[in-house]
């Protein structure tokens, strides 16, 4: 094999190894999550806040996937299991988080129900996750 071919092969192997290292944390994180049962219906909800974080999991410590302001989202389901309670404007807390996508589709993310147009803990018409 010529020096040029060996260099190209070595460069290709290094690129593949680097890509595998970059993807490994995401693959490992996905292994620890429970399988997701995707609902078939959604309800359109409104984010009435500014700079509201959409997160990877229903906790304030979870990775922020996107930030939205005054936007409609599709709410697929909601949960109060393994969540972080969020303070409400009236001084209480709400444990309920919704699994949402952007209108028209996107990856799933979680947002606290406190940030959604709702007058109660749960959002009527949205099933439990």
């Amino acid at each position: 094999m010529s020096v040029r071919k060996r260099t190209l092969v070595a460069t290709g192997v290094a690129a593949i190894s680097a890509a595998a290292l970059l993807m490994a944390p995401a693959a490992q994180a996905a292994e620890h999550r429970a399988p997701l049962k995707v609902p078939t219906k959604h309800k359109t909800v409104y984010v009435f806040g500014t700079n509201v974080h959409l997160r990877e999991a229903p906790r304030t410590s979870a990775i922020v996937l996107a930030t939205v302001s005054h936007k409609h989202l599709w709410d697929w389901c909601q949960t109060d299991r393994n969540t972080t309670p969020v303070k409400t404007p009236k001084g209480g807390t709400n444990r309920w988080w919704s699994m949402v996508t952007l209108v028209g589709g996107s990856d799933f993310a979680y947002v606290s129900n406190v940030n959604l147009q709702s007058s109660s803990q749960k959002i009527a018409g949205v099933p439990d996750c």
Side-chain angles (χ1 to χ4, degrees):
M1 197 181 319
S2 72
V3 172
R4 180 169 161 67
K5 279 188 177 180
R6 281 190 295 228
T7 303
L8 290 175
V9 170
T11 303
V13 170
I16 292 169
S17 298
L21 287 173
L22 289 173
M23 293 182 344
Q28 289 173 353
E31 289 176 13
H32 297 291
R33 288 189 222 142
L36 182 62
K37 294 179 184 176
V38 179
T40 56
K41 292 184 178 183
H42 59 77
K43 179 177 182 172
T44 302
V45 294
Y46 185 71
V47 176
F48 63 85
T50 303
N51 297 323
V52 174
H53 296 308
L54 305 183
R55 297 182 178 273
E56 185 177 52
R59 292 178 287 286
T60 56
S61 61
I63 294 170
V64 175
L65 300 174
T67 302
V68 297
S69 300
H70 307 285
K71 188 170 193 74
H72 284 95
L73 301 173
W74 284 347
D75 194 339
W76 295 90
C77 64
Q78 57 192 332
T79 185
D80 68 344
R81 294 179 307 192
N82 299 316
T83 63
T84 303
V86 176
K87 289 184 181 182
T88 66
K90 296 181 181 179
T93 58
N94 187 342
R95 292 191 67 84
W96 287 91
W97 287 65
S98 287
M99 186 174 71
V100 297
T101 60
L102 298 176
V103 172
S106 68
D107 289 340
F108 288 103
Y110 288 89
V111 62
S112 171
N113 282 6
V114 168
N115 297 304
L116 300 177
Q117 187 175 11
S118 174
S119 60
S120 63
Q121 297 282 315
K122 289 181 75 174
I123 299 172
V126 178
D128 290 357
C129 294

